[in-house]
């Protein structure tokens, strides 16, 4: 069943919604930031996701406008035209297809913006996110290992020239 969602531009006034996710240790355990203890930290994350050529979105259910999670495309400072995908959502939406639908919308948006390639960095133990990336056509480019990070960090890549634009209802105000 296709999930009807849309990507709403992430705004400063979404701080409390974002904080309700980023303050949950289970939601952020695989993210590149620590569990937030103050709403101001969520505010800073919103700025990071929406400034400097980055695109941040609040994922919403189409008919109810209920927030599902946050999706972002962050510009790669070293590789022009490449962006990394960042995504997290409320636990009640895990394993129900919402994150897959959000990545498909991000792919469409990236194509419309002329983005050349997308990457995603996923911790080895984050099986759900790895499955989402693979389902959306991303392929493992490499697996990185660090001394202070014993498990692998999967680097997924998707060149936009070869991706197919999905037929999914979307709204990006």
């Amino acid at each position: 069943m296709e999930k009807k969602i849309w990507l709403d531009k992430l705004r400063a006034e979404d701080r409390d919604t974002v904080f309700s996710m980023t303050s949950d240790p289970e939601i952020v355990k695989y993210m590149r930031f620590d569990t937030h203890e103050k709403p101001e930290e969520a505010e800073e994350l919103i700025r990071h996701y929406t400034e400097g050529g980055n695109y941040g979105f609040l994922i919403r259910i189409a008919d109810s406008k209920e927030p599902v999670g946050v999706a972002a495309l962050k510009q790669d400072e070293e590789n022009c035209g490449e962006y990394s995908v960042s995504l997290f959502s409320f636990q009640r939406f895990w394993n129900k297809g919402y994150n897959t639908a959000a990545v498909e919308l991000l792919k469409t948006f990236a194509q419309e913006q002329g983005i050349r390639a997308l990457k995603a960095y996923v911790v080895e133990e984050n099986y759900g996110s790895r499955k989402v990336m693979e389902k959306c056509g991303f392929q493992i480019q490499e697996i990185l290992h660090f001394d202070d990070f014993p498990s692998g960090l999967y680097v997924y890549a998707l060149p936009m020239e070869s991706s197919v634009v999905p037929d999914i209802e979307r709204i990006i105000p």
Side-chain angles (χ1 to χ4, degrees), residues 2-168:
E2 184 179 299
K3 299 297 179 189
K4 297 289 187 184
I5 62 166
W6 52 286
L7 301 177
D8 190 12
K9 183 178 177 186
L10 195 57
R11 296 172 178 84
E13 49 269 21
D14 297 320
R15 180 187 84 168
D16 293 339
T17 300
V18 172
F19 181 67
S20 65
M21 288 179 270
T22 60
S23 61
D24 182 334
E26 276 303 301
I27 291 174
V28 302
K29 77 177 173 183
Y30 298 123
M31 299 303 294
R32 289 184 169 183
F33 55 84
D34 293 327
T35 304
H36 291 170
E37 295 180 12
K38 297 180 281 187
E40 292 77 19
E41 292 171 294
E43 207 170 286
E44 178 59 33
L45 183 67
I46 291 169
R47 274 194 298 278
H48 175 70
Y49 280 178
T50 58
E51 294 178 353
N54 297 332
Y55 302 98
F57 303 99
L58 194 60
I59 306 163
R60 294 186 182 274
I61 295 176
D63 53 356
S64 69
K65 298 185 181 179
E66 178 183 6
V68 171
V70 172
L73 294 176
K74 299 179 294 183
Q75 191 171 30
D76 187 318
E77 294 174 7
E78 296 175 15
N79 299 306
C80 184
E82 292 188 9
Y83 284 71
S84 63
V85 173
S86 193
L87 184 75
F88 56 91
S89 60
F90 287 108
Q91 290 185 54
R92 67 184 175 273
F93 296 109
W94 292 359
N95 301 311
K96 296 183 179 174
Y98 290 100
N99 289 330
T100 299
V103 171
E104 291 293 345
L105 290 177
L106 287 175
K107 285 170 49 179
T108 300
F109 179 80
Q111 283 186 319
E112 291 171 353
Q113 300 306 306
I115 293 172
R116 292 183 310 120
L118 295 177
K119 286 193 172 183
Y121 299 86
V122 184
V123 175
E124 182 176 14
E125 293 87 11
N126 191 347
Y127 301 109
S129 290
R130 286 177 40 207
K131 185 177 177 182
V132 166
M133 291 301 125
E134 291 167 11
K135 201 185 280 189
C136 292
F138 285 73
Q139 295 182 347
I140 298 171
Q141 186 175 37
E142 63 183 315
I143 302 172
L144 304 174
H145 296 278
F146 304 96
D147 290 338
D148 61 342
F149 186 66
S151 66
L153 180 65
Y154 283 56
V155 180
Y156 285 91
L158 178 73
M160 296 308 296
E161 299 83 27
S162 64
S163 62
V164 176
V165 178
D167 182 24
I168 297 178

